[in-house]
Amino acid sequence: MYQQGFGRNNNMRKIYVLLFFSIFVLDIFSQNNEEKKSSVFMDSAVYYLKNKQYEKSLHFYIASFSFEAPENPNRLYEAAVMAARTDKKDLSFMLLGFSVNKGFNRYEHILENKDFIKFNDERLDSFTDKIKLQDSILRAISSQLDDIFKEDQEIRNLFFDSFDKDSISKAEILNKMEYIDSCNLVTVKRIINEHGFWGRSLRTNNSRNAMWTTLQHSGVLSEYLNILRLAVKRDEIIPGLLALSEDRALLEKTGYQKYGSQYSLVDGRVVIGKLLDSINVDIYRKEMGLESLNDYIENIEKSMRPESSEEK
C-alpha cells in the first residue's frame, strides 16, 4: 500500500512540476508552432470535457499548457474543474488559483459550482472572495465604458450626417469628435493601467466594444498592439479585431498591411490598400478566422448595393 501511495505522489509531483514549468517559464520560449500545438490540444480538452471524459480532458488541458503558457482564466478554471472531478485536490486548487490570478470573474458560477466544495478546503473561500472582488470591478468598469461607447458612436453618427452641411459645421463636429476621443482615451488608458484590457468579460454589449473601439480612434494604436495580442490569448477579443488593428497601425507606419482589412472606395468599388504579401494573404487571414480576401471584398460591395426591386 505504501509503495502504491508513494508512486501516486511521485506522479502528482511530476504533474505539478510540469504545470509550474508551463505557466511560468514556457511563455518565454513559446513560438507560433507551439501555439498551434497548444490550440490542437486545447480543442481536444474541450471535446472530452463536453463528452464527460474528464480524465482525458484534464490530460489535454495540461498538454496544451505545456506548449503555451495559459493566459485565458476560463480555460484554467475548466482544467481546475476537471482536476476536481477526477479527485486531484491539490492540482485542482493550484489551477483554480492560477485562474483567479489571471482574472477569473464569474462569481455567480463559482457560487453554484459543487466540484470544489467536496474537498472542504479553506482556500475555496479565499478564491471566492477574490472572484467576487473582480466581478464588482468589472461591473463598475462596464458602467464607465457604456458611457464612453455611447459618446463615441453618437459623435460619429453626427459627423457622418454632417456631409450635407457646410464645411464650418463639419469642422466643428470634427473638432468635437477629436476632443471626445482624447477624453475617452484618458479613461481607457487609466483602466488598462489599473485593471488591464477587457472585452468579452464585461457585462454589457456596449462596454465589451468600448476599449477596442477607443484604441482604434486614438492615434496611438501601435502602442497597444501587444496588449491586444494578449487580449486575444485571454479570449477578450476575437483574432479578427486584432488583424484589423495590426493592419491599421502597419498601414499608418509603412503604407502596407498584412491582412487586407483596410480599403478605400473608388466609384463604388473596394480598393484594398497595399499588401505586404499578396500571395499568402489568404493564409494569414485564415489564421485569424477571416474569410478570403475576395469574399471580403465581395461582401463589402454587396452590402453597399441597393436591393434589387425584384427582390422580396
Side-chain angles (χ1 to χ4, degrees), residues 77 80-81 84-85 96 107-118 124:
Y77 177 80
V81 171
R85 290 181 182 177
L96 182 59
Y107 178 59
E108 293 181 0
H109 184 84
I110 195 70
L111 291 179
E112 296 172 356
N113 185 283
K114 307 299 181 186
D115 295 299
F116 304 106
I117 294 176
K118 65 183 179 182
L124 181 59

Side-chain angles (χ1 to χ4, degrees), residues 8-47:
R8 286 198 298 271
N9 289 338
N10 274 348
N11 289 335
M12 288 301 294
R13 287 194 190 99
K14 290 178 182 177
I15 293 175
Y16 297 160
V17 170
L18 173 63
L19 190 63
F20 182 89
F21 182 72
S22 70
I23 291 176
F24 292 105
V25 180
L26 281 186
D27 58 328
I28 300 173
F29 303 101
S30 292
Q31 303 294 332
N32 287 339
N33 193 39
E34 278 67 26
E35 290 179 7
K36 291 177 181 178
K37 291 178 182 177
S38 176
S39 178
V40 170
F41 283 126
M42 184 58 69
D43 289 343
S44 297
V46 174
Y47 171 82

Side-chain angles (χ1 to χ4, degrees), residues 62-282:
I62 299 300
S64 174
F65 298 159
S66 73
F67 278 104
E68 183 181 19
E71 295 292 344
N72 187 333
N74 294 323
R75 294 308 191 198
L76 283 162
Y77 177 80
E78 291 164 4
V81 171
M82 295 303 97
R85 290 181 182 177
T86 52
D87 295 321
K88 297 175 177 63
K89 174 183 174 180
D90 288 338
L91 179 59
S92 70
F93 277 95
M94 184 171 67
L95 287 164
L96 182 59
F98 290 148
S99 172
V100 172
N101 289 336
K102 289 293 184 181
F104 185 76
N105 54 79
R106 296 162 63 188
Y107 178 59
E108 293 181 0
H109 184 84
I110 195 70
L111 291 179
E112 296 172 356
N113 185 283
K114 307 299 181 186
D115 295 299
F116 304 106
I117 294 176
K118 65 183 179 182
F119 295 123
N120 194 28
D121 192 302
E122 63 184 12
R123 286 176 289 181
L124 181 59
D125 290 335
S126 174
F127 290 147
T128 301
D129 288 342
K130 291 179 180 178
I131 294 169
K132 182 180 181 180
L133 175 61
Q134 186 64 35
D135 174 65
S136 65
I137 289 172
L138 291 189
R139 290 181 185 278
I141 291 174
S142 296
S143 179
Q144 283 184 287
L145 292 177
D146 272 339
D147 293 337
I148 281 179
F149 188 77
K150 181 181 178 182
E151 279 191 319
D152 179 278
Q153 296 301 293
E154 284 181 347
I155 190 62
R156 278 169 170 75
N157 289 335
L158 189 62
F159 178 71
F160 292 135
D161 290 342
S162 71
F163 287 141
D164 294 331
K165 299 179 181 179
D166 60 75
S167 58
I168 296 177
S169 298
K170 285 189 289 186
E172 290 174 349
I173 295 172
L174 182 60
N175 288 336
K176 185 177 180 180
M177 184 167 68
E178 291 174 349
Y179 173 75
I180 289 174
D181 287 349
S182 64
C183 292
N184 287 347
L185 181 61
V186 169
T187 302
V188 167
K189 276 186 174 181
R190 176 182 56 77
I191 293 172
I192 291 174
N193 290 337
E194 294 177 1
H195 305 290
F197 181 97
W198 295 95
R200 282 179 169 175
S201 292
L202 295 171
R203 300 326 194 214
T204 64
N205 288 332
N206 285 348
S207 66
R208 293 181 189 116
N209 295 315
M211 295 186 81
W212 180 83
T213 300
T214 299
L215 292 179
Q216 306 315 297
H217 300 155
S218 66
V220 293
L221 177 60
S222 59
E223 298 176 20
Y224 289 88
L225 289 179
N226 284 336
I227 288 176
L228 294 179
R229 291 177 187 125
L230 180 59
V232 170
K233 292 180 181 295
R234 298 181 68 247
D235 201 29
E236 290 299 322
I237 61 171
I238 60 173
L241 292 182
L242 173 61
L244 195 155
S245 298
E246 290 190 339
D247 271 357
R248 182 171 289 178
L250 189 62
L251 194 63
E252 199 173 279
K253 184 177 181 180
T254 68
Y256 290 85
Q257 57 178 326
K258 181 176 181 179
Y259 302 101
S261 66
Q262 306 298 295
Y263 64 90
S264 57
L265 294 175
V266 179
D267 297 327
R269 302 303 301 269
V270 171
V271 177
I272 299 294
K274 292 181 180 179
L275 297 170
L276 282 174
D277 183 357
S278 59
I279 295 175
N280 294 307
V281 63
D282 281 338

